[in-house]
Amino acid sequence: MPQYITHKPRRASDENWVLILLSITVIAVLCMFAVGYLLTSRWNAQEETRTQQRQLDAYLDYTAPKPAPPMPVEFTQAQQIRARLLAHPSVTPGPGFDRPGVQSTGIAIVDAIDDAQAKRR
């Protein structure tokens, strides 16, 4: 009569150990994906906020009222000379009145006339 060898049945603890290890691995991977997703979304939100802040700063800088640049001293003096010449009764502006050197020469002539008239009195 042949003898049958009875195999020992697998222990339940061996199967449980593999399932527990596999479950822990899957849970750890899912947790890493979740943490990665949350961190990435947070970083993207911060980057979006920084981008919007830079755009706002650029807009405010562009739309901020700028102080008018000061007029050069030469321009202010030229305007004073022009006003003085036009206010003088002996000056009649002609077509070349705005050409370079005409007004500076004109003020020298007007000053000479005024000095001569003042000495005569």
Side-chain angles (χ1 to χ4, degrees), residues 37 80 88:
Y37 174 76
Q80 291 172 349
H88 200 275

Side-chain angles (χ1 to χ4, degrees), residues 65-88:
K66 307 276 190 283
M71 292 292 188
V73 175
E74 298 83 15
F75 181 77
T76 307
Q77 290 174 346
Q79 291 296 323
Q80 291 172 349
I81 290 173
R82 179 184 179 92
R84 187 169 160 209
L85 283 173
L86 292 175
H88 200 275

Side-chain angles (χ1 to χ4, degrees), residues 6 16 54 69 101 121:
T6 57
N16 286 343
R54 283 193 301 269
R121 290 184 194 163

Side-chain angles (χ1 to χ4, degrees), residues 34-89:
V35 168
Y37 174 76
L38 292 174
L39 287 176
T40 303
S41 63
R42 181 179 171 99
W43 289 333
N44 287 341
Q46 288 176 347
E47 182 62 32
E48 174 99 13
T49 303
R50 284 191 294 267
T51 301
Q52 289 176 351
Q53 186 63 43
R54 283 193 301 269
Q55 289 173 347
L56 177 64
D57 292 342
Y59 172 77
L60 291 176
D61 185 46
Y62 182 76
T63 58
K66 307 276 190 283
M71 292 292 188
V73 175
E74 298 83 15
F75 181 77
T76 307
Q77 290 174 346
Q79 291 296 323
Q80 291 172 349
I81 290 173
R82 179 184 179 92
R84 187 169 160 209
L85 283 173
L86 292 175
H88 200 275

